Amino acid sequence: MSDVRHVLVLPDRDAAEEAAEALGERFGLDEEPQLVRDALAGEDDAEDAQWLVVLRDEDERLDPAELDEFAGKWDGWREEP
């Protein structure tokens, strides 16, 4: 078993929450994705933060290209490891 993780970068908390919920429905995840606030360098305002959706894929069954396309629906992308 490997420790593969995918990180989707989304523009705001609402998008991250919606995407995390939709991920479970679309991909049938075994565990809920983790939401993480990622403040942009030099920014103190909470509004100037990206949100990360981190999901584990130990069985490596999720297609990175499909995840990138999925994140694009919320103006986001999948971060390359």
Side-chain angles (χ1 to χ4, degrees), residues 37-45 47-50:
R37 181 180 172 273
D38 183 33
L40 300 175
E43 298 293 337
D44 293 329
D45 187 356
E47 295 300 316
D48 293 327
Q50 296 174 327

Side-chain angles (χ1 to χ4, degrees), residues 11-71:
D12 57 47
R13 183 180 188 152
D14 290 339
E17 289 175 345
E18 288 177 24
E21 185 176 325
L23 275 166
E25 294 170 8
R26 179 166 175 189
F27 296 100
L29 302 177
D30 294 333
E31 67 181 69
E32 195 170 320
Q34 178 183 10
L35 298 179
V36 179
R37 181 180 172 273
D38 183 33
L40 300 175
E43 298 293 337
D44 293 329
D45 187 356
E47 295 300 316
D48 293 327
Q50 296 174 327
W51 282 79
L52 309 178
V53 178
V54 180
L55 54 148
R56 292 173 53 145
D57 184 21
E58 294 174 348
D59 298 330
E60 298 184 44
R61 63 180 185 87
L62 300 174
D63 178 24
E66 195 173 346
L67 288 171
D68 193 38
E69 180 182 329
F70 177 85

Side-chain angles (χ1 to χ4, degrees), residues 4-7 64 78-81:
V4 174
R5 295 173 193 251
H6 298 282
V7 177
R78 187 185 66 83
E79 190 72 24
E80 289 291 332

